Amino acid sequence: MIDTAITAHEGADKRSDRGEANRRAVRAWLGFVLLAILALVLVGGATRLTDSGLSITEWKPIHGAIPPLSVAEWEEEFALYKQIPEYSQINKGMTLDEFKTIFWWEWAHRLIARSIGIIFGAPLLFFWVTGRLEKSLRWPLVGILALGGLQGAIGWWMVSSGLAKRVDVSQYRLAVHLTVACLIFASIAWVWRGLAPHHGRALPHSPQARAAGGLLFLVLLQIYLGALVAGLDAGLAFNTWPLIDGAFIPEGLGVMKPLWHNLFENIKTVQFVHRMNAYLMFVLALANMIWLLRSLPGTTHANRSVILFGMVFLQAGLGVATLLTHVDIGLALAHQGFAVVILGFAVANLRGYFGEYPRSAGVARA
């Protein structure tokens, strides 16, 4: 009896060790995917800032992974670009070498996007068929993969808006494209953090958890608003701070009819709303930090609130610097990339109130 009990205990320990090893492997994979998505967002930002996003005028999900390999193929690609309004109205007379510069930015953006599909989908299949993936995570991860496929279609939907009548892409579609990318990033970050050990006490139904959820929403909203700013090139207008056009609340915010158009098409209004949401997020992050330091002193929840406020403070500085430098490309990319980093931390902050996923006894292979 004693020997049987010892054997059972040893077997349980081995399953526990293998389960932990599997979790570490899945976390490493998801962490790599998160880094790849961050790189994709940065390259996408550079593509936007260099006006390269319309350089590839066809959607070829498979064949498009191979760039032009001969002079004739380059001339063919360039001829397609010459047919769109951006060339005739803005870049007429561009040389082939100049075209290659903008082409490579867009091609790199699409290549990274394709690669993410592979580095997410192939390991997902491997972990699933080898029994290393916990059952509760399988279909949520498949859902994220499906959302990634939809994102590819959204990307082409965005690009197609600038190929016929416009000289740039629709700010509406750009905002959707970036927001969906961030939703994918946030979903993966949620799973990634849930697989990690949690040291703080779980408080899923606490007012602190609801506050963390509110801050996460504000971060995602701010990214959406930032995409509207980028889509309208609103960051190149009214490059003063804290005043806009000479006033904190400038005139001309609601001149368009119907009124709601101002929120998406009025450059001054779009920049104003982006600033106001940033101020709101700053104040609430500060208030949240003070509240947690008083209500949950010495806990990991309170410690995370300090880090989150520090990140929001730094991001505000990057935003102001980007504005005052008339959208210096380095600062603009740092501002955009760090927004995604803050999003990931805000997800981890909220996840901390829920604790890690329950251990699954059925995942034991290694």
Side-chain angles (χ1 to χ4, degrees):
M1 293 290 292
I2 295 177
D3 290 342
T4 301
I6 292 174
T7 301
H9 181 70
E10 289 176 348
D13 287 343
K14 288 180 180 179
R15 287 193 297 272
S16 177
D17 290 343
R18 286 195 294 267
E20 185 59 39
N22 290 335
R23 281 201 165 190
R24 287 197 299 269
V26 172
R27 285 189 70 228
W29 157 54
L30 294 178
F32 183 74
V33 175
L34 289 173
L35 291 175
I37 295 175
L38 177 59
L40 179 65
V41 171
L42 288 172
V43 173
T47 300
R48 173 65 188 169
L49 290 166
T50 56
D51 293 321
S52 304
L54 298 177
S55 58
I56 301 178
T57 60
E58 296 179 332
W59 189 34
K60 303 174 183 177
I62 305 300
H63 178 66
I66 303 173
L69 300 176
S70 66
V71 173
E73 289 179 349
W74 275 112
E75 291 288 357
E76 179 183 354
E77 201 73 46
F78 193 20
L80 291 171
Y81 177 67
K82 288 179 179 180
Q83 297 174 17
I84 69 172
E86 183 181 77
Y87 174 81
S88 60
Q89 297 181 36
I90 296 178
N91 290 330
K92 192 173 182 64
M94 169 184 277
T95 66
L96 179 59
D97 285 340
E98 290 171 335
F99 170 71
K100 288 181 180 180
T101 299
I102 63 172
F103 177 93
W104 284 121
W105 275 117
E106 175 62 8
W107 182 82
H109 182 56
R110 296 192 187 193
L111 179 66
I112 295 173
R114 291 184 177 98
S115 300
I116 290 174
I118 296 172
I119 65 176
F120 189 88
L124 173 60
L125 179 61
F126 169 78
F127 285 123
W128 190 322
V129 299
T130 59
R132 290 172 167 84
L133 191 62
E134 298 169 36
K135 290 183 179 180
S136 62
L137 300 180
R138 292 174 182 177
W139 290 110
L141 289 173
V142 169
I144 294 174
L145 180 63
L147 187 58
L150 176 63
Q151 173 71 336
I154 291 173
W156 175 246
W157 175 66
M158 176 190 71
V159 170
S160 65
S161 68
L163 298 180
K165 298 179 180 179
R166 300 172 58 105
V167 296
D168 54 8
V169 301
S170 163
Q171 72 274 19
Y172 294 96
R173 299 187 187 188
L174 175 65
V176 171
H177 187 51
L178 179 59
T179 303
V180 172
C182 289
L183 285 173
I184 294 170
F185 183 91
S187 299
I188 295 173
W190 179 267
V191 177
W192 175 80
R193 184 67 183 95
L195 291 172
H198 284 62
H199 302 293
R201 182 164 58 97
L203 300 168
H205 305 296
S206 66
Q208 291 89 347
R210 289 192 290 272
L215 284 172
L216 173 58
F217 172 78
L218 283 178
V219 172
L220 188 61
L221 175 61
Q222 185 67 353
I223 291 173
Y224 173 82
L225 295 172
L228 291 177
V229 169
L232 289 170
D233 289 325
L236 297 172
F238 312 110
N239 297 97
T240 57
W241 184 82
L243 304 182
I244 303 176
D245 199 20
F248 187 77
I249 303 178
E251 297 180 353
L253 295 179
V255 295
M256 289 184 174
K257 305 297 179 184
L259 191 62
W260 65 267
H261 278 189
N262 291 278
L263 297 173
F264 303 97
E265 300 180 15
N266 183 330
I267 289 177
K268 184 183 290 186
T269 304
V270 168
Q271 190 189 120
F272 176 78
V273 173
H274 185 58
R275 291 192 192 195
M276 292 302 107
N277 194 68
Y279 296 148
L280 176 62
M281 187 166 59
F282 182 92
V283 170
L284 292 182
L286 175 61
N288 180 68
M289 179 185 69
I290 295 172
W291 176 39
L292 285 172
L293 288 174
R294 291 178 175 177
S295 63
L296 299 172
T299 64
T300 55
H301 304 303
N303 294 338
R304 284 196 308 270
S305 73
V306 175
I307 297 172
L308 181 59
F309 173 71
M311 295 174 76
V312 171
F313 183 89
L314 176 58
Q315 177 71 341
L318 284 172
V320 172
T322 300
L323 182 72
L324 296 180
T325 58
H326 293 256
V327 193
D328 172 80
I329 188 169
L331 287 171
L333 288 177
H335 187 53
Q336 179 168 316
F338 197 57
V340 177
V341 174
I342 292 176
L343 175 66
F345 190 84
V347 169
N349 180 51
L350 176 59
R351 178 74 225 192
Y353 288 99
F354 289 81
E356 65 181 292
Y357 288 114
R359 298 286 170 166
S360 175
V363 180
R365 296 189 197 178

